[in-house]
Amino acid sequence: MKNIILVGFMGTGKSTVAQLLAKQLNRVLVETDTVIEKQMKKSVANIFAEYGERGFRKLERSVVITISHKKSLIISCGGGTILDKHNLNDLEKSGHLICLTASLASILKRLEGCKNRPLYSANAASFEKLYGERQKAYAFVKIQIDTDNCTPQQVVDKIIEIVKPSKNKDKNPLL
Ligand code: S3P
């Protein structure tokens, strides 16, 4: 089975939705940030502090190379993973790539008080700017799901509907 990969800005609900999705579909969950943290035995914030964003992106790239060769996973990516075109390509090839979106207002509400996201704790103005700049990168993903006004379960239901093989496709390989 193809992987189901969630991408999107911080606070769009990737981790929560991925956890629910993995449970519901009985699949293994892989979170790129968690893999990196386990490998390095350090938090993402500490990796940023010690090796800079560049160092973090290198680790992220190597995790994507490994997991995109696997099958049947539910993958939750860090918000910046698909800024690297190679990551975007590899993930696209490895399964259903889905971008979760949300308005800046919803994201700010969801992330309020969050301490472990180095790019969030920077400052409000730069975070807002980053949100704007990232939209171009996320627009490359064909499947987009707006999570504003949706519960995580509603987002899961939408994903399941999207990835469900259509009966017609099964019968006629040309469809
Ligand atoms: C980042 C998002 C974070 C984490 C790191 C960088 C980003 O993941 O990978 O702090 O560049 O948007 P979440 O999207 O899970 O917060």
Side-chain angles (χ1 to χ4, degrees):
M1 261 182 298
K2 286 179 175 181
N3 294 325
I4 301 175
I5 309 118
L6 303 184
V7 296
F9 200 58
M10 292 166 260
T12 50
K14 298 172 301 249
S15 297
T16 311
V17 169
Q19 275 168 31
L20 274 176
L21 197 57
K23 214 169 168 191
Q24 224 161 298
L25 299 181
N26 201 18
R27 296 220 211 165
V28 173
L29 169 67
V30 175
E31 297 202 58
T32 56
D33 282 353
T34 310
V35 176
I36 294 169
E37 286 180 327
K38 277 196 185 144
Q39 264 175 11
M40 299 300 288
K41 298 191 177 65
K42 284 180 184 37
S43 68
V44 167
N46 284 339
I47 296 168
F48 263 71
E50 258 182 67
Y51 307 101
E53 182 170 349
R54 222 160 151 206
F56 175 79
R57 297 296 172 206
K58 277 191 189 159
L59 295 165
E60 198 172 44
R61 173 75 192 125
S62 89
V63 172
V64 170
I65 291 173
T66 307
I67 59 178
S68 54
H69 285 101
K70 300 194 173 174
K71 290 209 181 325
S72 305
L73 300 174
I74 304 295
I75 301 173
S76 172
C77 293
T81 309
I82 58 159
L83 295 179
D84 181 326
K85 284 276 148 53
H86 301 290
N87 286 344
L88 177 67
N89 271 336
D90 291 347
L91 293 169
E92 254 174 353
K93 279 189 214 141
S94 99
H96 303 276
L97 183 63
I98 298 172
C99 182
L100 302 188
T101 68
S103 63
L104 182 62
S106 303
I107 286 173
L108 289 173
K109 220 175 185 179
R110 291 175 190 168
L111 294 185
E112 210 177 337
C114 168
K115 294 266 181 276
N116 56 1
R117 286 180 169 95
L119 297 176
Y120 168 70
S121 26
N123 75 56
S126 64
F127 185 73
E128 213 172 308
K129 190 164 165 254
L130 186 68
Y131 175 85
E133 289 166 355
R134 288 279 179 90
Q135 300 312 309
K136 252 197 234 155
Y138 299 136
F140 284 110
V141 183
K142 288 181 201 88
I143 307 170
Q144 305 261 335
I145 298 179
D146 181 5
T147 65
D148 273 0
N149 311 311
C150 275
T151 63
Q153 185 56 51
Q154 285 169 328
V155 179
V156 167
D157 293 343
K158 286 184 188 186
I159 294 172
I160 290 176
E161 198 51 42
I162 289 168
V163 303
K164 197 164 72 182
S166 104
K167 282 179 194 146
N168 287 340
K169 264 194 228 158
D170 287 346
K171 275 186 204 142
N172 185 347
L174 296 175
L175 286 176

